[in-house]
């Protein structure tokens, strides 16, 4: 069972305060299938090793974990509260390959689009 390291950087988001910023994004550690999808079966066995790191130039990095409830995937930064969870739109349906896009709802409830810029074995 191998894990992948996935880097997503903020893409242009028309109508928001963000015009795209390569210094703002997420780094995930997660299991992927051969097609680049999240591997839910493997995730259940390695969930303790699956993490997320949110980074931005104007704040300290925030470390959390990748988690799943039913078919919905989240970035969770405090296991004692669901108030901080960042839902990821249809994360289980996304292919994690360079050039694809993922929408994450940030801590303020604003959906922002990120571009996958790197995928490699962890």
């Amino acid at each position: 069972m191998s894990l992948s390291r996935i880097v997503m950087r903020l893409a242009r988001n028309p109508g928001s305060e963000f015009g795209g910023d390569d210094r703002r994004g997420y780094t995930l550690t997660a299991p992927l299938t051969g097609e680049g999808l999240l591997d839910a079966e493997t995730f259940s066995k390695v969930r303790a090793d699956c993490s997320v790191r949110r980074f931005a130039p104007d704040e300290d990095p925030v470390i959390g974990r990748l988690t799943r409830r039913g078919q919905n995937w989240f970035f969770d930064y405090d296991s004692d509260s669901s108030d901080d969870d960042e839902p990821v739109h249809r994360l289980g349906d996304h292919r994690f390959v360079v050039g694809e896009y993922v929408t994450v709802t940030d801590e303020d409830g604003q959906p922002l689009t990120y571009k996958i810029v790197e995928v490699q074995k962890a």
Side-chain angles (χ1 to χ4, degrees):
M1 289 179 271
S2 65
L3 295 169
S4 294
R5 180 177 174 268
I6 303 150
V7 179
M8 305 183 313
R9 298 192 182 270
L10 187 64
R12 283 191 210 110
N13 284 270
S16 77
E17 64 183 284
F18 301 107
D21 187 345
D22 280 347
R23 301 169 301 153
R24 186 178 299 274
Y26 294 87
T27 302
L28 306 176
T29 302
L32 299 177
T33 66
E35 293 80 33
L37 299 169
L38 285 175
D39 187 337
E41 183 178 331
T42 300
F43 173 78
S44 66
K45 299 172 188 165
V46 297
R47 80 175 42 228
D49 298 320
C50 297
S51 63
V52 60
R53 177 181 176 265
R54 184 177 66 211
F55 58 89
D58 52 350
E59 59 187 57
D60 291 333
V62 180
I63 307 298
R65 62 189 178 101
L66 178 66
T67 190
R68 184 173 187 225
R69 279 176 261 174
Q71 297 301 312
N72 298 316
W73 295 85
F74 297 85
F75 299 158
D76 182 23
Y77 302 101
D78 180 356
S79 60
D80 294 332
S81 171
S82 63
D83 292 344
D84 68 324
D85 292 352
E86 291 177 337
V88 185
H89 182 69
R90 299 176 55 129
L91 189 64
D93 297 333
H94 284 287
R95 288 185 60 232
F96 286 92
V97 295
V98 172
E100 293 288 327
Y101 292 88
V102 176
T103 300
V104 179
T105 302
D106 72 8
E107 67 274 12
D108 297 324
Q110 180 178 15
L112 296 171
T113 302
Y114 293 82
K115 184 176 184 178
I116 298 169
V117 297
E118 182 181 325
V119 179
Q120 64 182 343
K121 295 292 181 193

